């Protein structure tokens, strides 16, 4: 099966980035969300990011124009029936993704691959709500998607070798580096990263150091380009909390207990960059 048209569910930070890289690579993209304002914002972000690439000489103006014409936006999920592959990039909540996968299983042809951009939720559990578990897979892109090279490809228990091979080849066509990972809570990236961010939050909560001091230690002592608390703000503190809860519930180890300060900040609506307030304040 040849993949020419791709559906992307969710026009937020990850979804519009995924749509961007597929469209720039010559694929026809259908970007779907539940409200027009989300689509408008996502399309504006794609246009802005492509313009930035033109200004840096990374892409030509002609390629930018072709990429933009490759993207169609819609509020009608049923239009995804015409796509060869669908990538789900909705909120990191199992209940939301489960409903989407059930719906997509009815909308899409039996041969269509359904991928999730989840950063922690079980691909096996998502696949189990469909009638095509062999054609369900994880494609975990990293933010910002147009820049970051890695794609974690997560095999569910029933994911077929054919599906994996197709998605790996597809990732390479996008200019990404695919890395194979088996299904487990948090996969590799977030199973290792999130406890680090969580422990940095404990250090702040317990008065060991300020957020600025914690981040300086990691930038100057470990040569990290961004400190763990600035990174948590960039990811979104609500997303960090969701992933920590997936790790805690999935692995059953108390070391994955979310920091109480993280829980309190999310309850207060302090979600990081996207809300203007997290461990730092943003304009």
């Amino acid at each position: 099966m040849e993949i020419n048209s791709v559906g992307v569910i969710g026009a937020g930070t990850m979804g519009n980035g995924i749509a961007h890289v597929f469209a720039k690579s010559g694929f026809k993209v259908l970007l779907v969300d539940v409200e027009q304002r989300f689509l408008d914002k996502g399309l504006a972000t794609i246009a802005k990011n492509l313009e930035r690439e033109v200004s840096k000489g990374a892409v030509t103006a002609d390629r930018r124009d072709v990429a933009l014409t490759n993207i169609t936006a819609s509020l009608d999920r049923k239009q995804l029936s015409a796509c060869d592959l669908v990538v789900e990039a909705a909120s990191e909540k199992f209940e939301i993704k489960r409903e989407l996968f059930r719906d997509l299983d009815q909308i899409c042809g039996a041969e269509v691959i359904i991928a999730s951009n989840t950063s922690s939720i079980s691909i096996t559990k998502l696949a189990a709500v469909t009638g095509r578990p062999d054609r369900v897979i994880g494609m975990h892109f990293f933010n910002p998607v147009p820049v970051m090279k890695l794609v974690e490809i997560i095999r569910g228990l029933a994911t077929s070798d054919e599906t994996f091979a197709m998605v790996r080849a597809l990732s390479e066509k996008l200019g990404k580096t695919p890395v194979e990972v088996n299904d487990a809570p948090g996969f590799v990236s977030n199973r290792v990263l999130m406890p680090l961010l969580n422990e940095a939050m404990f250090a702040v909560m317990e008065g060991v150091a300020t957020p600025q001091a914690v981040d300086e230690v990691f930038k100057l002592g470990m040569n990290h380009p961004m400190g763990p608390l600035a990174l948590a703000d960039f990811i979104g503190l609500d997303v960090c909390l969701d992933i920590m809860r997936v790790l805690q519930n999935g692995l059953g180890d108390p070391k994955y207990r979310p920091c109480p300060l993280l829980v309190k900040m999310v309850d207060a609506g302090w979600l990081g960059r996207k809300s203007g307030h997290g461990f730092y304040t943003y304009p």
Side-chain angles (χ1 to χ4, degrees):
M1 174 185 168
E2 187 175 358
I3 295 174
N4 297 305
S5 59
V6 176
V8 179
I9 298 182
T13 300
M14 297 305 295
N16 72 60
I18 294 167
H20 175 141
V21 297
F22 272 108
K24 192 174 73 172
S25 298
F27 294 89
K28 296 294 184 182
V29 177
L30 178 64
L31 182 61
V32 176
D33 214 315
V34 294
E35 292 187 34
Q36 188 63 43
R37 63 191 177 100
F38 298 147
L39 291 173
D40 291 342
K41 184 177 180 181
L43 291 171
T45 298
I46 293 169
K48 178 182 176 181
N49 288 339
L50 281 167
E51 189 59 42
R52 183 182 295 117
E53 291 185 67
V54 171
S55 68
K56 292 181 177 179
V59 299
T60 65
D62 286 345
R63 191 177 178 193
R64 171 203 61 199
D65 294 343
V66 170
L68 290 172
T69 60
N70 279 341
I71 303 172
T72 302
S74 177
L75 298 172
D76 185 3
R77 200 182 297 172
K78 291 181 180 178
Q79 290 188 22
L80 293 165
S81 61
C83 296
D84 303 315
L85 167 82
V86 177
V87 181
E88 170 273 315
S91 300
E92 193 69 0
K93 303 281 189 184
F94 175 70
E95 294 76 15
I96 293 173
K97 293 183 187 294
R98 177 179 59 193
E99 186 272 330
L100 281 170
F101 270 70
R102 282 177 175 160
D103 202 15
L104 289 171
D105 192 41
Q106 299 300 313
I107 292 170
C108 300
E111 75 286 354
V112 173
I113 294 172
I114 306 176
S116 177
N117 180 59
T118 179
S119 53
S120 62
I121 292 170
S122 170
I123 298 302
T124 301
K125 285 179 68 175
L126 291 174
V129 305
T130 75
R132 68 186 78 201
D134 60 315
R135 302 189 75 75
V136 173
I137 196 166
M139 289 185 78
H140 180 204
F141 292 85
F142 288 75
N143 188 27
V145 180
V147 175
M148 302 295 280
K149 290 291 187 182
L150 175 64
V151 178
E152 265 186 322
I153 302 181
I154 303 100
R155 302 181 72 134
L157 190 61
T159 303
S160 70
D161 290 341
E162 178 188 13
T163 296
F164 174 79
M166 290 179 67
V167 170
R168 178 175 57 190
L170 182 64
S171 300
E172 291 171 346
K173 285 183 181 179
L174 299 177
K176 303 300 184 184
T177 302
V179 176
E180 179 180 358
V181 177
N182 288 321
D183 194 18
F187 316 131
V188 170
S189 56
N190 282 317
R191 181 167 179 170
V192 176
L193 174 64
M194 285 300 158
L196 167 63
L197 306 191
N198 198 55
E199 195 62 30
M201 296 170 195
F202 270 109
V204 172
M205 186 184 77
E206 293 169 2
V208 178
T210 65
Q212 292 85 352
V214 171
D215 282 351
E216 283 297 290
V217 167
F218 277 85
K219 287 192 291 183
L220 300 179
M222 288 77 171
N223 204 28
H224 288 200
M226 183 184 293
L229 299 171
L231 179 56
D233 276 357
F234 182 70
I235 293 168
L237 299 185
D238 52 336
V239 176
C240 293
L241 179 57
D242 286 341
I243 295 171
M244 286 305 301
R245 284 173 169 160
V246 168
L247 291 171
Q248 183 184 33
N249 294 333
L251 297 170
D253 192 318
K255 73 180 180 181
Y256 297 112
R257 175 175 68 99
C259 176
L261 176 59
L262 172 61
V263 176
K264 185 181 296 185
M265 291 173 74
V266 171
D267 286 345
W270 294 9
L271 308 181
R273 282 182 178 268
K274 60 187 171 186
S275 70
H277 199 135
F279 285 96
Y280 299 93
T281 301
Y282 304 90

